Amino acid sequence: MLQNLLRSRSRSPAPPRAGEALYALAVTQARDPGFYTTLGVADRIDARFELYTLHVLLLVLRLRDGGDRGGEAAQVLFDVYVSALDNALRELGVGDVSVGKKMRKLGEALYGRMTAYETPLRDGDETALAEALVRNVYAGGDEAQGLRLARYALACRKSLADQSLEAVERAPAWAEMPV
């Protein structure tokens, strides 16, 4: 699946604005204070990257399940996310000379996370997903919180799957935040 996101497109892509809107919806959800207060995610840039990546991946998986049109939207969303990472580095003051190296490292991290999360999300494997989330989101720490976050992510996967492609593209209904 991830190789398909990195392929070149021969058809006309979905409009970038659609990808920007989907990315904004993923970011809004990833910024829910409950992740930091209820689920114990550290309010640090690396932890926010992890939550953004998880939510973008959840949308990408759902979109790709929607056939060619959804696959094109998934590609545009992915492209917008990578562009947003590049812009974030520049806003943090990373110079033009260093951006390429930093983006390569970030790209490797992004690919690694998406690879680690994709199979457990597709298979509904709570244990494997929790292990990956503990390693990446909680820096090897809180296993109980990792399990709660995995349950949330799997509930999001189901919630998104139960919605039409059009509904997901307009305003995805995410799962409830665990209490």
Side-chain angles (χ1 to χ4, degrees), residues 12-171:
S12 61
R17 281 194 190 149
E20 291 169 8
L22 282 169
Y23 175 68
L25 292 166
V27 166
T28 298
Q29 182 63 21
R31 288 181 175 166
D32 185 307
F35 289 111
Y36 307 99
T37 57
T38 304
L39 293 178
V41 175
D43 190 10
R44 298 185 323 255
I45 194 165
D46 58 325
R48 287 191 297 273
F49 165 78
E50 300 296 345
L51 290 176
Y52 291 4
T53 299
L54 176 63
H55 286 87
V56 166
L57 178 60
L58 286 163
L59 283 178
V60 163
L61 291 174
R62 171 57 186 99
L63 293 168
R64 294 214 34 92
D65 290 342
D68 287 344
R69 190 179 113 234
E72 290 175 12
Q75 181 65 53
V76 172
L77 169 59
F78 182 81
D79 293 347
V80 167
Y81 184 35
V82 171
S83 178
L85 292 174
D86 181 88
N87 291 337
L89 285 176
R90 292 175 191 281
E91 287 176 12
L92 289 170
V94 175
D96 287 339
V97 175
S98 304
V99 166
K101 290 179 185 176
K102 298 247 187 229
M103 275 304 296
R104 185 174 24 254
K105 285 181 112 172
L106 228 97
E108 289 169 1
L110 174 62
Y111 181 80
R113 293 331 182 262
M114 288 186 156
T115 300
Y117 302 153
E118 180 183 1
T119 299
L121 282 168
R122 285 196 180 278
D123 295 345
D125 187 342
E126 184 179 282
T127 302
L129 183 58
E131 288 171 2
L133 292 169
V134 166
R135 185 174 52 253
N136 296 315
V137 177
Y138 296 99
D142 198 328
E143 291 180 21
Q145 295 291 49
L147 186 57
R148 292 177 73 208
L149 183 55
R151 288 180 181 146
Y152 160 81
L154 289 169
C156 282
R157 173 92 167 122
K158 181 178 179 344
S159 177
L160 293 170
D162 291 344
Q163 299 167 57
S164 71
L165 185 59
E166 293 76 21
V168 170
E169 289 175 323
R170 266 192 323 275

